[in-house]
Amino acid sequence: MIKFIIRRLILLIPVLVGVSIIAFLMLHLAPGDPAELLAGLEASAEDVAALRVRFGLDKPLFIQYFMFLKGLFDGSLISLKYEMPAASVIIPRIFNTLKLACASIVVAVAVGTVAGILSAVRRHSIVDYLSTTMALLGVSMPVFWWGLVLIMIFSVYLMWLPSGGMGGLRYLVLPAIVLGTSSAGVIARMTRSSMMEILRQDYITTAKSKGLPSRIVIYRHALRNALIPTVTVVGLEFGYMLAGAVLTETVFSWPGVGRLIVDSIMARDYPVVQASLLLVAGLFVLVNLGVDVLYAFLDPRIRYD
Amino acid sequence: MEPLLEVKDLATYFYTDEGIIKALDGISFSINEGEILGLVGETGCGKSVTATSIMGLIPSPPGKIVRGSILFKGKDLLSLSEQQMRRIRGKDIAMIFQDPASSLNPVLRVGFQVAEAIWAHLKTPIREAMLKAVELFGLVNIPDPHTAVNRYPHQLSGGMKQRVMIAMALSLNPKLLIADEPTTALDVSIQAQILSLIKILQRDYGSSVLLISHDLGVISTMAHRVAVMYSGLIVEQGRVEGLFQSPLHPYTQGLLAAIPRVDEDISELAVIEGTLPNPINPPAGCRFHPRCPWAMEICKSKRPAFKAVKPYHEVACYAYAD
């Protein structure tokens, strides 16, 4: 297992190199000049040229790429927009994003698995119809709309929760629900179908024939087998939350990395975009590694050595 | 003496989109204490449904027991609540399934799966129940039982898995053991070992066994009495010696004739003409009449009743009416 983890961590290197090259090229091939944006509308051609030299934007592309790599390692990477070290721009944002993503995945897993199990166990009952309908709604509701609805109810009318910004746990509730909703739907649907599949297996009949209470049959015998496909989905959803929470972050003015990336793309803040993308890609790979490790704990047939 | 299990006019239907499958349409039989009853018939004739009906494990929907009674020690199992039935399952009536590969939970240790059965009924702590599992593993001749209890199903061979299933079934000394095709999925060399194990344990424990098989050889060596099923009905039952030596029902005769014999030079295999009837729309009267060489007019309209033609030998066929 340890060997497997090390091997996967080594594989992370080519992934990150690939991501860095693609991110670098896409940004530099896109139209728009950070020097012009930074200098402002009234700047003279000389001012712009000076800025270009200052940030090394006048150098050939591959030299710029290596300068970026060098900056990553020695911390000399500077945000063009904020004119401060890129690390101190990105790192607090990453922690904010992690905080939101963790809270959201907890919401999504709790709601999704419970709804999925209930659906599968009471197939074609009112509970099942309700939960599958809710899951479909959850998956299809646009985040910005759902976010605004919740703000209207809980912040404007009931005044229970803040409508945005960051602070204590209270600030986390609404964004976590909004970001977790579609994942809860996806997880519920996955859990339902895999539970239904597992409940048909012979070993479930064996478990019942032993005289086990149905609670044990469902949670010990069926759920653990049904969790394997669910865990895959949870991992993917968590990955998306790390990278793609822009809408939720915007609706709730949550200073996360998704918004940072979008803002930095607008400002052509190359170093910040590239470094953030690398970080997010790395996290995504790590989450998937975590999922693979979890498989081995859930299913003794899965061994990596 | 009162039989241990008495099934009377049991009918189990499955309500599907295509129609009602009458998997069992009124079967009656009984099993005495310490007796092995063989239940034979072709695939799809309702043998397994009989087993799951007795266990109270018919998936519902679509399945439903529509009439009849299952008296176990004089008590009708069909009148029990799920809670009461659960206390009987695994303790008084235990079951061994056809395919040991799919009957054990792949993510739980085999010893735990046995211990769990003990825990379910006696509330023995799992740690203690595991010791009992080790003992049971030894009893069913699993080598090195201390290590074996900690294995997962995929680490054991098919024969070993079936031994685990037997250990599980015997863990609470059940009065009745239902073995549904216990050797069908196993290699021939392993089959004999498993069968003799069941026989020895049955003798030592004094349990009764309902042995379901499509293999007449298995039934003839194992069972005391045998019931022959055809299309959801029992057509003939009696003691093994009598039934195998002089089968009465034309279907049983066909079945026995269809066994190729090694001591005869045969160029052609004997077959029963025709196929099993559609269970949704079975033929009226005797369900075997479209394939029967002796079919008479009455066979097409009225179902024959059971008749004791000889002592301990009954058949449902008009050919023996007088």
Side-chain angles (χ1 to χ4, degrees):
Chain A
M1 181 60 105
I2 306 272
K3 257 200 212 149
F4 165 77
I5 294 173
I6 293 173
R7 210 162 52 223
R8 286 283 296 265
L9 288 178
I10 293 172
L11 269 172
L12 195 57
I13 297 168
V15 171
L16 292 182
V17 170
V19 170
S20 71
I21 294 177
I22 292 168
F24 181 85
L25 284 180
M26 289 229 292
L27 277 174
H28 284 81
L29 295 178
D33 182 345
E36 270 177 33
L37 282 171
L38 273 172
L41 284 175
E42 279 116 64
S44 64
E46 288 79 35
D47 291 343
V48 174
L51 270 176
R52 235 177 239 141
V53 173
R54 191 175 138 210
F55 292 119
L57 296 168
D58 55 337
K59 304 245 171 32
L61 267 190
F62 75 93
I63 303 266
Q64 284 193 47
Y65 178 70
F66 284 110
M67 280 169 57
F68 163 69
L69 286 188
K70 179 173 163 288
L72 267 185
F73 287 107
D74 64 9
S76 65
L77 207 61
I78 301 290
S79 158
L80 303 182
K81 185 181 167 198
Y82 302 99
E83 302 200 40
M84 56 198 272
S88 49
V89 176
I90 297 167
I91 294 194
R93 298 290 196 111
I94 278 284
F95 278 109
N96 293 343
T97 291
L98 274 174
K99 203 159 116 190
L100 177 58
C102 288
S104 307
I105 204 75
V106 168
V107 170
V109 169
V111 175
T113 47
V114 169
I117 293 168
L118 284 179
S119 265
V121 172
R122 298 173 207 281
R123 203 167 358 147
H124 304 310
S125 69
I126 300 207
V127 181
D128 182 21
Y129 292 135
L130 258 176
S131 120
T132 38
T133 312
M134 298 286 273
L136 189 64
L137 270 177
V139 173
S140 14
M141 264 186 314
V143 164
F144 50 86
W145 180 79
W146 178 225
L148 291 176
V149 168
L150 288 187
I151 289 177
M152 233 168 72
I153 298 173
F154 292 101
S155 310
V156 180
Y157 292 131
L158 297 171
M159 291 196 271
W160 287 353
L161 294 162
S163 66
M166 260 185 59
L169 214 56
R170 278 158 36 84
Y171 287 84
L172 199 55
V173 178
L174 287 184
I177 291 173
V178 169
L179 186 57
T181 298
S182 81
S183 304
V186 174
I187 292 167
R189 285 149 60 112
M190 195 66 195
T191 309
R192 177 180 188 267
S193 70
S194 62
M195 270 301 266
M196 275 170 39
E197 167 79 28
I198 298 292
L199 285 172
R200 276 199 298 269
Q201 300 294 315
D202 289 346
Y203 54 79
I204 297 300
T205 313
T206 309
K208 287 182 189 160
S209 80
K210 281 191 270 191
L212 292 172
S214 58
R215 176 174 43 90
I216 301 267
V217 174
I218 291 165
Y219 289 98
R220 186 185 289 161
H221 286 263
L223 185 60
R224 204 163 145 202
N225 284 285
L227 272 184
I228 292 161
T230 307
V231 162
T232 314
V233 172
V234 171
L236 286 174
E237 291 294 318
F238 190 62
Y240 295 140
M241 284 176 182
L242 291 177
V246 189
L247 289 174
T248 311
E249 288 173 4
T250 308
V251 171
F252 292 97
S253 340
W254 187 272
V257 82
R259 246 173 78 206
L260 175 69
I261 293 176
V262 172
D263 291 347
S264 305
I265 292 174
M266 297 299 184
R268 298 290 180 276
D269 193 348
Y270 296 158
V272 171
V273 177
Q274 289 161 9
S276 314
L277 287 179
L278 268 185
L279 212 56
V280 168
L283 282 176
F284 202 102
V285 174
L286 288 181
V287 167
N288 278 307
L289 174 58
V291 166
D292 285 345
V293 170
L294 206 53
Y295 284 157
F297 279 101
L298 286 172
D299 190 340
R301 285 167 298 181
I302 298 174
R303 282 291 168 266
Y304 298 115
D305 26 48
Chain B
M1 191 182 72
E2 191 180 62
L4 178 70
L5 181 84
E6 195 172 8
V7 173
K8 285 182 191 162
D9 192 33
L10 180 67
T12 304
Y13 292 178
F14 289 87
Y15 296 84
T16 68
D17 293 341
E18 287 83 42
I20 302 169
I21 298 174
K22 297 175 177 174
L24 295 181
D25 208 2
I27 63 164
S28 303
F29 63 89
S30 61
I31 304 177
N32 294 320
E33 300 247 2
E35 184 182 47
I36 302 183
L37 175 73
L39 195 58
V40 276
E42 291 167 80
T43 307
C45 71
K47 300 181 308 258
S48 292
V49 177
T50 307
T52 33
S53 296
I54 295 171
M55 291 297 283
L57 291 174
I58 292 288
S60 163
K64 193 167 188 282
I65 294 175
V66 291
R67 59 167 202 275
S69 59
I70 302 171
L71 300 175
F72 179 73
K73 293 199 280 190
K75 210 165 32 178
D76 189 0
L77 299 183
L78 298 180
S79 68
L80 298 184
S81 69
E82 171 59 24
Q83 186 72 13
Q84 291 167 317
M85 195 59 213
R86 193 165 67 63
R87 281 193 215 114
I88 287 179
R89 261 181 231 136
K91 183 162 186 292
D92 295 318
I93 308 179
M95 189 160 168
I96 305 170
F97 296 88
Q98 175 165 358
D99 186 2
S102 62
S103 300
L104 287 166
N105 193 324
V107 304
L108 299 173
R109 296 177 195 277
V110 288
F112 177 80
Q113 297 190 50
V114 173
E116 192 185 39
I118 301 168
W119 168 84
H121 294 283
L122 305 180
K123 295 290 166 236
T124 317
I126 286 291
R127 193 178 292 270
E128 271 173 55
M130 282 296 268
L131 296 177
K132 181 85 201 297
V134 172
E135 205 179 294
L136 286 161
F137 274 32
L139 200 70
V140 297
N141 299 328
I142 294 176
D144 196 4
H146 284 277
T147 338
V149 286
N150 287 319
R151 298 224 178 268
Y152 289 100
H154 71 277
Q155 296 168 316
L156 300 177
S157 69
M160 284 304 143
K161 276 185 260 203
Q162 197 60 300
R163 284 168 199 268
V164 171
M165 289 298 292
I166 294 173
M168 187 189 286
L170 292 175
S171 58
L172 292 148
N173 299 349
K175 300 296 284 174
L176 174 66
L177 178 66
I178 301 176
D180 185 3
E181 304 264 8
T183 56
T184 307
L186 303 174
D187 289 343
V188 182
S189 54
I190 310 292
Q191 281 186 15
Q193 293 175 14
I194 296 290
L195 288 174
S196 70
L197 179 64
I198 293 178
K199 194 149 196 175
I200 290 168
L201 294 170
Q202 180 269 334
R203 204 186 51 211
D204 294 353
Y205 281 71
S207 309
S208 306
V209 178
L210 174 62
L211 178 66
I212 296 172
S213 182
H214 65 273
D215 188 333
L216 293 163
V218 167
I219 297 285
S220 70
T221 53
M222 293 283 292
H224 303 122
R225 273 192 316 124
V226 58
V228 182
M229 276 191 86
Y230 182 79
S231 180
L233 294 169
I234 291 176
V235 293
E236 179 170 5
Q237 54 182 326
R239 288 193 169 165
V240 164
E241 320 82 54
L243 194 140
F244 276 79
Q245 266 156 31
S246 51
L248 299 173
H249 198 279
Y251 176 65
T252 318
Q253 292 179 354
L255 270 187
L256 287 167
I259 304 173
R261 298 188 50 152
V262 280
D263 55 354
E264 275 171 23
D265 205 5
I266 37 169
S267 53
E268 221 174 301
L269 292 170
V271 291
I272 304 175
E273 292 296 333
T275 53
L276 264 178
N278 176 352
I280 291 176
N281 214 346
C286 172
R287 289 192 176 178
F288 188 63
H289 83 257
R291 301 169 76 181
C292 181
W294 310 338
M296 300 178 281
E297 212 42 55
I298 188 169
C299 303
K300 293 174 187 162
S301 54
K302 201 164 161 252
R303 186 185 291 175
F306 256 104
K307 187 169 184 295
V309 174
K310 300 176 191 171
Y312 307 111
H313 196 162
E314 300 178 293
V315 67
C317 180
Y318 286 113
Y320 300 94
D322 34 27

